[in-house]
Amino acid sequence: MDDMTPRQIVEALDRYVVGQDDAKRAVAVAIRNRWRRSKLPDELRREVTPRNIILSGPTGVGKTEVARRLAQLVHAPFVKVEATKFTEVGYHGRDVESIVRDLADRAFQVVKQEQAQVVADKAQTLASWRLVDLLMPDPGVEAPAPPRDLDRHDAADTPDPAAERRARARQRMREQIESGKLDDREVELSVTRKPATGGLLAQMGVDQVDPDLVAMFERMAPEKKQRKRVRVAEARRILIEEETEKLLDEERLASDAVDRAEQSGIVFLDEIDKVAAPASGSGGRSGPDVSRQGVQRDLLPIVEGATVSTRYGPVRTDHVLFIAAGAFHTAKVTDLMPELQGRFPIRVELTPLTRDDLLRVLTEPRNALTRQQAALLDAEGLDVVFEDAAVEAMAELAAQANAKLENIGARRLITIVERVFEEVGFDAPDRVARGERKLSVTAEMVREKVGPIVGDADAARFVL
């Protein structure tokens, strides 16, 4: 991030998200402000808080994709949560503090992966030597004692031909192991496994269990050792994992994870509009609206800045970046509590996708649906080529379906593409077996598969 300007961040997001320049610019500036904040004096740095963002717009226009790609771009701890999964304290459901615990878990994973890369070479070397010991066990024969009339220094320097031959043989075996020449050989090793405590904690409601109690359960769980025969390639992978664990300092990882979560964490609050609408029913809250206002009240201190206990230590949320998103079909941003609104000073409205936007979604991104479908069928040996007119027809039909039915944005394209390839996906192995190794997708083929359904409103409602 030290070298990425807001413009470069936007350009990187353009590779995956079509349009929505305002949203990209807003998140790019928010991320760059984090780097700017890190350059400030300590006293001023503590006073600079994140500029949280609310993204509003219909479903399928790229709200989640912008946040997800941004987190991947900056290698920041990122969690996506749905506001509808949480309930007011006292009701059955997830506690909002679990957001911060999830963020701390993700930060620990990020830090651990980074440190594992640092010690990767050493761990691989140690694992290779352990495999050498398993494949060429030490005979355990002690070297003969040197004659008494020899000087100790001279005796120590006297070469041992047998030891030298053995050292050379071990070195050759290590090279063969690392080059993969011995991958198919089998070796017996002892594997240490720690039983998962997730089942027990899930029954207790892990979100409601104190993090210290969770850590205690994990420490108390006895390790189980099991001997089994595996191929050398698998054994090396297992041993590398074990050696990596030994080389990592858990306490330092936990401390770094807390710092990373506090300073670089990103929380994406999706479906925030579902807790914005006023409660329904007479005489107060009822039914599915039982705790909408309560969820907002519980979210408020987390967004404002609170300290939450996690298994890695207390995490403060003062400088966590919160990005909220919602369609806001039946509610408005102003339906949120004024205090919560004030904690999201930046509001960006994403625009619905037009026919031209849908065409770009099918062709421009690196993960475009057309490329995904072609790659899937290429695995069968079928070469798929899309004619320009065919791609335009898919975009046009998706736009028509969005106009007639609910506008679900780019997600409609998934249905269109799957409908076009429904029969081809089933028959692909048979086609290749008959020698048909190329398929040209034409506009006529697209309209034949999808056109009649789009034209029939009743059928489209159930199929598309």
Side-chain angles (χ1 to χ4, degrees), residues 16 104 179-180 238 246 332 399 412 433 459:
Y16 297 98
S179 66
I238 294 172
K246 294 177 184 177
K332 303 183 294 295
R412 187 77 68 184

Side-chain angles (χ1 to χ4, degrees), residues 85-88 90-94:
K85 295 291 180 67
F86 301 96
T87 60
E88 183 180 0
Y91 293 93
H92 177 72
R94 295 194 71 188

Side-chain angles (χ1 to χ4, degrees), residues 248-294:
L248 296 178
D249 184 344
E250 289 288 330
E251 291 186 3
R252 181 182 174 185
L253 289 179
S255 175
D256 291 347
V258 169
D259 182 69
R260 186 70 66 89
E262 291 180 340
Q263 305 301 323
S264 305
I266 300 175
V267 173
F268 184 72
L269 283 170
D270 204 4
E271 307 290 350
I272 192 70
D273 57 314
K274 301 302 186 295
V275 298
S280 61
S282 58
R285 295 170 293 173
S286 62
D289 301 327
V290 68
S291 63
R292 288 184 174 185
Q293 292 292 327

Side-chain angles (χ1 to χ4, degrees), residues 193-197 214-224:
R193 298 294 184 201
K194 202 159 190 174
T197 58
V214 175
M216 184 186 73
F217 269 106
E218 292 178 345
R219 288 193 299 269
M220 289 174 58
E223 292 183 347
K224 292 185 178 180

Side-chain angles (χ1 to χ4, degrees), residues 72-328:
Q72 294 176 359
L73 182 65
V74 300
H75 304 290
F78 172 82
V79 293
K80 175 184 177 294
V81 295
E82 295 178 2
T84 52
K85 295 291 180 67
F86 301 96
T87 60
E88 183 180 0
V89 173
Y91 293 93
H92 177 72
R94 295 194 71 188
D95 178 7
V96 294
E97 289 190 351
S98 65
I99 297 173
V100 185
R101 290 193 282 270
D102 291 345
L103 183 65
D105 288 339
R106 181 57 190 150
F108 185 82
Q109 294 172 9
V110 171
V111 172
K112 188 174 182 179
Q113 289 171 0
E114 292 176 355
Q115 291 302 312
Q117 291 295 323
V118 174
V119 301
D121 291 341
K122 188 174 182 180
Q124 291 172 10
T125 300
L126 292 171
S128 296
W129 282 121
R130 284 183 62 183
L131 270 175
V132 170
D133 292 336
L134 292 171
L135 293 168
M136 186 184 292
D138 193 332
V141 178
E142 296 184 1
R148 293 187 179 185
D149 58 344
L150 290 179
D151 181 77
R152 280 191 166 193
H153 179 72
D154 294 335
D157 291 342
T158 302
D160 183 349
E164 288 183 355
R165 286 195 299 272
R166 180 170 178 79
R168 286 195 296 269
R170 285 169 59 84
Q171 180 63 32
R172 285 195 300 271
M173 178 163 285
R174 177 198 161 189
E175 293 172 357
Q176 290 177 331
I177 289 171
E178 294 180 346
S179 66
K181 293 181 179 179
L182 303 180
D183 281 356
D184 292 332
R185 286 186 60 175
E186 286 193 346
V187 64
E188 184 175 342
L189 76 161
S190 178
V191 181
T192 303
R193 298 294 184 201
K194 202 159 190 174
T197 58
L200 174 63
L201 295 176
Q203 295 176 9
M204 299 173 61
V206 67
D207 289 333
Q208 314 301 329
V209 178
D210 185 87
D212 293 333
L213 185 60
V214 175
M216 184 186 73
F217 269 106
E218 292 178 345
R219 288 193 299 269
M220 289 174 58
E223 292 183 347
K224 292 185 178 180
K225 289 190 175 181
Q226 176 185 3
R227 295 195 66 83
K228 62 179 184 178
R229 294 191 65 83
V230 295
R231 293 172 61 247
V232 167
E234 176 66 11
R236 188 162 185 261
R237 184 190 64 79
I238 294 172
L239 294 176
I240 288 175
E241 290 180 0
E242 290 185 1
E243 293 300 328
T244 300
E245 291 289 339
K246 294 177 184 177
L247 292 171
L248 296 178
D249 184 344
E250 289 288 330
E251 291 186 3
R252 181 182 174 185
L253 289 179
S255 175
D256 291 347
V258 169
D259 182 69
R260 186 70 66 89
E262 291 180 340
Q263 305 301 323
S264 305
I266 300 175
V267 173
F268 184 72
L269 283 170
D270 204 4
E271 307 290 350
I272 192 70
D273 57 314
K274 301 302 186 295
V275 298
S280 61
S282 58
R285 295 170 293 173
S286 62
D289 301 327
V290 68
S291 63
R292 288 184 174 185
Q293 292 292 327
V295 172
Q296 292 188 58
R297 283 195 298 269
D298 289 346
L299 281 173
L300 183 59
I302 302 295
V303 179
E304 282 183 335
T307 302
V308 178
S309 296
T310 71
R311 69 178 70 185
Y312 314 106
V315 174
R316 288 195 60 83
T317 63
D318 300 68
H319 300 289
V320 173
L321 175 63
F322 288 87
I323 302 176
F328 290 98

